[in-house]
Amino acid sequence: MSLRVLPWAELLEESGAQRVPLYLSRWVFDNGDAGGFVRDCLRSRHPPSPDGSRNAGYSNPEMDLLIDESGTAFEDSLRLATFEKVMRLADEDVPLVPLYHEPD
């Protein structure tokens, strides 16, 4: 295997078609909420919706249910409790490998 540097548009296409076994990316929490990250990166792919659009192939029905619940929880304490369950499950399953954190 060799390192390939791809233009952003090509990486989106290749990863979307699941033809990239591993890639380095970053995520910016532009609104301070984890909802977009968990929906796009941890939820199973669900075309044609954007759910799971950045998911490299991980799928867990329990995770999907928790993420769906977090999207409809409007009470702060319930939403936080649901995200904590999501993070515990992600910690167990390791669907992503966080290599570093770069503060903006």
Side-chain angles (χ1 to χ4, degrees):
M1 184 179 291
S2 62
L3 177 65
R4 293 187 310 151
V5 178
L6 301 176
W8 180 243
E10 189 176 343
L11 175 61
L12 289 177
E13 182 180 329
E14 293 293 304
S15 65
Q18 296 183 319
R19 292 188 296 255
V20 178
L22 176 71
Y23 62 92
L24 179 64
S25 184
R26 80 184 267 189
W27 193 270
V28 177
F29 290 91
D30 55 349
N31 66 1
D33 186 272
F37 172 78
V38 299
R39 181 197 62 235
D40 294 349
C41 298
L42 299 179
R43 196 181 187 300
S44 300
R45 289 176 178 255
H46 190 74
S49 84
D51 294 350
S53 61
R54 301 280 87 351
N55 183 326
Y58 169 73
S59 182
N60 181 329
E62 182 182 358
M63 178 69 82
D64 294 346
L65 180 62
L66 288 168
I67 292 170
D68 292 347
E69 287 176 11
S70 75
T72 59
F74 296 104
E75 183 182 319
D76 289 345
S77 61
L78 178 59
R79 189 166 169 80
L80 178 59
T82 305
F83 278 139
E84 287 172 346
K85 291 176 188 174
V86 165
M87 292 299 119
R88 276 195 296 278
L89 185 55
D91 189 47
E92 292 171 12
D93 288 355
V94 193
L96 302 169
V97 179
L99 297 176
Y100 72 97
H101 172 77
E102 181 179 330
D104 286 333

